[in-house]
């Protein structure tokens, strides 16, 4: 009998870790930060957004690098306008420690973290439980998206090698 006992239920947190879609370097663009998506990148971002929606991977919060290509990718995912969006320079070319700090400071049950390589690729190897990265054999190309779950009460409980991979998708995989 559980009469009178308090049972703490661990909550589930879901992370959607994404690298921005393919960007170009058109004439007149002076800095890497200002690079826009190219035509393929725009198509790929739409495709990944449709996949996220079809799989019911919908964020409560989007943490996004403030660069042009990440902002454009987020817009083209077509997530609902009610989703809170935070654009920050701190995620531009961020290393794993800075990306982890962003995750651990997040709120909500499902967070989309949209940033750049090499940080995103390294996170895709460091966050899943040991041995759970075989799906990354193809690397982390533009638009690559990994969905992970964590059995934690809040985001501060997320640590290296603690996530369960639920899905991994790239634009090329969607096109096949």
């Amino acid at each position: 009998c559980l009469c009178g006992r308090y049972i703490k239920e661990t909550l589930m947190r879901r992370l959607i870790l994404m690298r921005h879609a393919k960007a170009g370097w058109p004439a007149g663009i002076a800095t890497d930060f200002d690079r826009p998506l190219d035509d393929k990148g725009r198509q790929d971002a739409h495709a990944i957004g449709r996949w996220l929606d079809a799989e019911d991977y919908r964020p409560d919060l989007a943490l996004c690098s403030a660069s042009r290509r990440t902002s454009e990718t987020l817009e083209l995912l077509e997530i609902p306008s009610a989703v809170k969006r935070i654009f920050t320079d701190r995620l531009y070319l961020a290393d794993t420690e800075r990306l982890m700090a962003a995750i651990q400071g997040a709120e909500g049950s499902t967070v989309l973290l949209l940033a750049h390589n090499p940080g995103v690729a390294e996170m895709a190897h460091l966050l899943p439980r040991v041995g759970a990265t075989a799906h990354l054999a193809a690397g982390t190309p533009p638009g690559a998206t990994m969905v992970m779950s964590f059995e934690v009460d809040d985001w501060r409980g997320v640590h290296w090698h603690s996530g369960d991979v639920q899905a991994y998708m790239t634009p090329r995989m969607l096109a096949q």
Side-chain angles (χ1 to χ4, degrees), residues 1 14 17 19 21 25-26 34 48 71 78 98 109 120 130 140-141 152 160 162 164 166:
C1 173
R14 179 181 285 160
L17 178 66
R19 181 180 176 199
W25 200 296
D34 294 323
I48 290 290
S71 299
E78 297 182 0
R98 189 168 287 177
S109 61
V120 169
V130 174
T140 311
V152 294
W160 303 126
S162 64
D164 293 309
Q166 295 180 309

Side-chain angles (χ1 to χ4, degrees), residues 77-165:
L77 293 177
E78 297 182 0
I79 60 175
S81 60
V83 172
K84 182 178 180 181
R85 292 158 170 81
I86 298 175
F87 298 91
T88 177
D89 291 341
R90 292 188 52 76
L91 295 179
Y92 175 65
L93 302 179
D95 63 15
T96 56
E97 295 303 320
R98 189 168 287 177
L99 294 173
M100 178 62 93
I103 292 167
Q104 290 176 333
E107 297 177 359
S109 61
T110 301
V111 171
L112 167 64
L113 179 64
L114 181 52
H116 310 265
N117 268 357
V120 169
E122 292 170 4
M123 293 296 281
H125 286 280
L126 291 171
L127 282 171
R129 295 186 192 281
V130 174
T133 56
H135 54 280
L136 290 174
T140 311
T145 305
M146 179 185 285
V147 180
M148 288 173 275
S149 62
F150 299 87
E151 292 182 26
V152 294
D153 295 326
D154 63 50
W155 289 102
R156 290 180 304 236
V158 172
H159 299 287
W160 303 126
H161 306 296
S162 64
D164 293 309
V165 177

